Amino acid sequence: MSKAKISLAGVSKSYISENEVTQALHKINLDFYFGEFVAITGESGGGKSTLLNVIGGMTGYDDGEMYVDGEPTFQYDDADWEEYRRRKVGYIFQDYSLIGHYTVLDNIVSGLFAMGKSKEEAESLAMTYIEKVGLKGYETHPANELSSGQKQRLSIARALAKQTGVILADEPTGNLDSETGLSIVKLLKEISKECLVIMVTHNYEQVEPYVTRKIRLHEGVIISDIQVRESKENKSDGKAGTADTGEVVSSSVSTEKNGKKETAESDEAAKYTDTWYAKFFVMLNLKTQRAKAMLFTLFLIVVSAVSFVLIGELNLKSDDICTKNYDGLAFARQSDKRISVKKKNGKKITADDIKQIKKIRYVENVDSCDYANDINYYIIEDRDYEMQYGMQITQREIQGSATPAFLKDDKFMLSTDCITKDDLKKGELPKKMDEVVMYSDDDKLIGKEMDCYFSAYNIWDGDDYIKCTVKVTGILKKKTTQVYFTKELCNMLSMNLDSSDFRLLYDYDVSMGDYKAKRKFIPVINNELKGNEVTLSKNLNGDYPGDGKHKLRIQKLDENGKADGDYIEEEMEVLSKKNEDSRNFMEVSREFFYKYYSSKYLQASVYIANYAKTDYILKKLEKSGYYAVSTYRAGATSKSDTKEQQRLVIIGICTAGLVVMFIAGFLILRAMMTLNVKEYIVFRFIGMKKGVLRRINYIELAIYCVIAMVVALVLAFILRLAGVGFITDITWYYRFGTYICFVLYNILLCAVTAMGFNHYVKRRFHQ
């Protein structure tokens, strides 16, 4: 008799629960030899499966020693036992323990990959043993489509293909009918001629004609060990064929630790790394489990989408501008997309400057008439204004006169700097001062004259307004309420900000040697007037110098609004005809107006795509030689306690939402993964490295996660293009760092889930 393949010397095993200690095996002494077909019998709970698990390296022993090919195993650690299961034993289970969605070929190849075989070698061996167990022609059939007998044959083929020299079978006929079970026993008998077969069975009568040895256990103790018939060892006494392979492989179990030898891998097998094997199984799982892949991906898309919104909202609320009230004293137009710029060298804004600024990313428009951008206009009666008759609206109006009542102050002037010929559906851009372009469904509007009123409470007095008759020269393509005016009109209406002080002198007092009345007026152009002709407002209400010639004193002002040099006096002809502006305006000829005003554009309004890009554009403008200020920040100066509380509540909700979703996502994903936990335990049984299994989980979840994040981002930008408000705001606030947070959150969730599931598999395997 050759030396024992496996020997147990005084091996004991106990299980400890909360209330008691159960001894499953007690002082077991057994030797198993190549060529034996051993049946282990006994009643349930007698220790049969425990003995098989100890021999198979699936559970440790407490006392004694187990020898494999004469080498002790007491010093084995987890890695050594993993290597032992991989190379020394093949398993056949009562429930087959196959991967149901894998094909027949893939089930066998997976066991060979666990041993580090190359793809070519694994497939070649698999085909050999598929034919040997009678499954030729079923190579591409999924395992879950096989009959019970075919499944057990596949389980046997998987064990044989490993060529370990030891086959362990746990109730291999337990789920089969008697005829199929008998065929499996006969197959195992044939196999035992080339290796050691140890089988646990409840039906000894079925296997009795074929086994060479019967071992009976009772309460963890061997009560009989009978040689039924002689085993048929090969001529080389257990060292040829698969036995020889087993001998060679057995030496690879040991490692250098504590004097153990280093594992020797073939050059070809060394090409296949753990990552390669993991990727192979991941791709195989994706191909054979499409429903699972879809379920995981859909769930992670939901998680990614919600996390995108919550992280974006946190990022948006990190800007405390949302807690401030806008007063509009500095800039009447309440636009968070507007930046006011002027050149650092003090020169005027030119067409070249506008081109340069427009090249900056996220800049949408530049209007060289910055001041006019704070002037309201009212052009559509009953929408923007209404005329009121027969009542005194304010002290400045005459009883019975018609005066405009402005309904909404939400429309502000923009010059034709902001549009081009391509923006017009019909007509042409304005050329004369009193021409405009606007949107209308009616192309017949071109050429029509309309009354248009202007007010600017941060430039003029709060109740002041100007009436102009404008002519429509073009119709815009895009539907909008915005009207575009000529630069000349915009410039004229905003001249009062930085030029001169005009005072009409009347009621001369000889005793004083001066005029009692020095009425301040704001000059605006009336194209019908000539020279020094002037018309005054019909709304002066008694505060009136009378018709005829009067002195007009003009005082130049510096940039701080103080007198700059001596004043000039002009003799003006006040006409009896009255204008329809408010009382602080006087209409003058174009000739007189430009005598004291020049068309200079010292400031421009820059309109950007979104407020979120304000800091980026401010920096770019500063580097390009401009002073720049966000008009919204300049106007939003006072904090609102209510808005601050709302901001904190939203930040709290978003933070809590991310935490809760992380925990819930972890629990749900792990629960979904546990549905396939048996597959991972099978992989562990057949000896797959823990590192490979961990990589499978990490890579698989990473693929689902990446797909989910990409889909979530695509959906977000589709919704942004569709104009969904809160999504648009959130996406604009996303920067590189925000995207990193979004990616890390989702990757971390998947990584933690994979890690948790790996621990769960490890715990279940030991159980």
Side-chain angles (χ1 to χ4, degrees), residues 270-327:
K271 298 176 184 177
Y272 294 86
T273 64
D274 288 353
T275 301
W276 186 93
Y277 289 123
K279 288 179 180 178
F280 173 86
F281 284 109
V282 167
M283 298 312 296
L284 188 59
N285 289 339
L286 292 176
K287 183 176 74 172
T288 60
Q289 290 185 297
R290 292 188 178 93
K292 171 194 168 185
M294 184 67 71
L295 180 64
F296 273 80
T297 304
L298 286 175
F299 177 77
L300 287 172
I301 286 173
V302 173
V303 172
S304 296
V306 175
S307 65
F308 181 87
V309 171
L310 294 179
I311 292 171
E313 191 68 22
L314 279 174
N315 194 39
L316 189 150
K317 294 302 178 184
S318 66
D319 191 340
D320 68 350
I321 195 71
C322 63
T323 67
K324 295 179 180 179
N325 293 321
Y326 192 88
D327 57 28

Side-chain angles (χ1 to χ4, degrees), residues 529-540:
L529 300 179
K530 298 179 180 179
N532 284 15
E533 291 179 341
V534 175
T535 64
L536 301 178
S537 172
K538 67 178 183 179
N539 296 312
L540 280 171

